[in-house]
Amino acid sequence: MDPLPLARLQFATTTSIHFLFVLVTLGLVTLLVYLQTAAFVTRKPVYERMVRFWGSIYLINYVLGIATGIVMEFQFGLNWSGLSRYIGNVFGAPVALETLLAFFLESTLLGMWIFGWHRLRRGVHLALLYGVALTAYASAFFIMVANAWLQHPVGYEIRDGVAHLTDFTALLSNPTFTMAIGHVVSAALLTGGMVLAGISAWLLLRRSPDYELLRKSLWIGLVTVTCAGVPLLGFGFAQFGAVGAVQPTKFGDDAAKAQAVADFTARFGPGDYLPPVYANASLGFMILIGFILVWAFVMLPLFYRDWIVRLKFPLVLVVLALPLPFLAAILGWLTREGGRQPWAAYGLLKVDDAVSPISGGVLLASFLGFTALLLTLAVTNWVLIAKRAARGTADPALGRSLADVSPDEHRPEPVLAR
């Protein structure tokens, strides 16, 4: 049993599932910043109720997303020891920054935000949420720096048979990073907006009593989808030129591909240096979904009309569109990662040299176990979100004070006589 396909399949599975959690986290925290800022400025109760409702959904996704990230980290040591040994000095720098500066700080600020309701001044509490959002984007920033280096290694030199970082600023100007980070941020905003709109439409179809909150959430979500869709397509198409210049086998013309294959053959020996068919196929479907999401909301102004919101058919369309950003994200990731094959680090380290020297049976067991765990976390995430949403917007647990709780809820239980 060949361990390489299993290692690649496990990496694709763990990364794709974790990436979906990341998109929702980035998108929802941005919208929460807007909602809590509006609550702070206008002092309208509806905005605070929106923060508490959507914040509880955000926290469910955040907690389970952390678990998927931990599972994903394990596979680097288990399956890709060659990658860690050869390029770990470079690849590890942005990953360490993401962990130390973003992840731990983000979690600390988020904990203070969760337990700071009614204990901190409103401005301080809002500032904590801004800190959570900024550190979340810092996390995405450094992860994309690391991934972009795998796409186009820069700012390094080979010493003693391993790569060493020589110019950190080169990582930040990497052409496979500058356009990709804008694309990922736009995708996250579109996904967050779609989650807001889709869940709101679903609750409106269920005739939830909190019509004002859900109608406002639906409108904010649809506006976010529309506004994020344009730069999403722009950054996406801009990558053809930026990436094609440094990855000719992915987006280059026929002459550039032939020249790149000839160069790789001379340096590394004969082999298949062209990307797999699925990379181009997934790219086409991703572009199609992008245009559907953008053009489907050309009729956005109609949703501002109350009578449109009360109709079933437009709401059903919004609910049906909810999975599309997630599908497009997986297809885009397959294009980005699959398109650089057979390289772990493009033009520097091949995947068959990066995989760990372990048996296929061990990798199969690892793949099945990790995949089962990740699928369980993903299903649990959406089941909990669906249950939380189905309970409605009335009095979510997030942000409750003792004044909101009935006396029977916080009265001590009687001590039974022995």
Side-chain angles (χ1 to χ4, degrees), residues 60-316:
I60 293 172
N61 183 83
Y62 182 88
V63 170
L64 291 169
I66 289 176
T68 63
I70 294 173
V71 173
M72 187 183 70
E73 290 291 338
F74 278 131
Q75 72 170 334
F76 282 108
L78 291 172
N79 299 350
W80 302 102
S81 60
L83 178 86
S84 302
R85 181 174 56 254
Y86 189 66
I87 65 172
N89 293 324
V90 181
F91 182 75
V95 173
L97 285 173
E98 185 270 341
T99 302
L100 296 174
L101 300 179
F103 176 74
F104 287 128
L105 182 57
E106 178 186 359
S107 300
T108 301
L109 294 174
L110 181 59
M112 295 172 66
W113 181 77
I114 294 171
F115 298 104
W117 287 85
H118 314 297
R119 293 176 175 87
L120 299 173
R121 293 181 180 272
R122 297 175 71 246
V124 174
H125 192 246
L126 175 61
L128 287 173
L129 186 59
Y130 271 86
V132 172
L134 290 175
T135 50
Y137 277 97
S139 177
F141 179 89
F142 286 118
I143 287 298
M144 289 306 299
V145 167
N147 179 265
W149 193 90
L150 296 178
Q151 304 289 335
H152 178 53
V154 293
Y156 74 98
E157 65 178 13
I158 303 297
R159 296 198 309 267
D160 301 325
V162 297
H164 292 269
L165 182 63
T166 59
D167 184 7
F168 186 80
T169 59
L171 274 62
L172 305 182
S173 59
N174 193 331
T176 60
F177 165 72
T178 51
M179 293 299 171
I181 186 65
H183 188 65
V184 168
V185 168
S186 300
L189 291 174
L190 186 143
T191 304
M194 199 67 246
V195 168
L196 216 69
I199 293 177
S200 299
W202 178 59
L203 291 176
L204 287 169
L205 286 171
R206 291 166 57 93
R207 302 302 181 190
S208 175
D210 202 342
Y211 179 79
E212 179 190 8
L213 185 151
L214 295 175
R215 185 179 186 276
K216 191 178 289 292
S217 297
L218 174 66
W219 175 249
I220 292 172
L222 293 178
V223 169
T224 303
V225 169
T226 304
C227 293
V230 176
L232 175 68
L233 292 177
F235 282 117
F237 283 114
Q239 291 186 75
F240 285 110
V243 176
V246 295
Q247 286 187 350
T249 55
K250 181 188 287 187
F251 292 143
D253 55 28
D254 291 340
K257 289 181 180 179
Q259 182 61 49
V261 169
D263 292 341
F264 291 149
T265 302
R267 292 168 53 196
F268 298 94
D272 185 6
Y273 294 102
L274 294 177
V277 175
Y278 71 78
N280 290 327
S282 58
L283 174 64
F285 284 111
M286 178 191 64
I287 294 174
L288 177 62
I289 292 173
F291 278 114
I292 290 175
L293 288 172
V294 171
W295 288 106
F297 294 102
V298 169
M299 300 178 67
L300 175 66
L302 290 178
F303 279 92
Y304 196 70
R305 305 281 184 177
D306 186 71
W307 64 271
I308 285 288
V309 177
R310 294 185 181 276
L311 294 179
K312 284 189 175 182
F313 182 67
L315 297 177
V316 170

Side-chain angles (χ1 to χ4, degrees), residues 313-369:
F313 182 67
L315 297 177
V316 170
L317 290 180
V318 175
V319 174
L320 293 177
L322 180 56
L324 292 181
F326 299 99
L327 178 59
I330 292 178
L331 293 174
W333 201 248
L334 289 176
T335 298
R336 183 170 175 86
E337 298 301 293
R340 77 164 186 260
Q341 296 301 316
W343 304 102
Y346 191 84
L348 182 63
L349 178 68
K350 298 175 72 172
V351 290
D352 51 359
D353 296 322
V355 71
S356 299
I358 55 180
S359 67
V362 172
L363 262 174
L364 178 61
S366 171
F367 167 70
L368 293 176

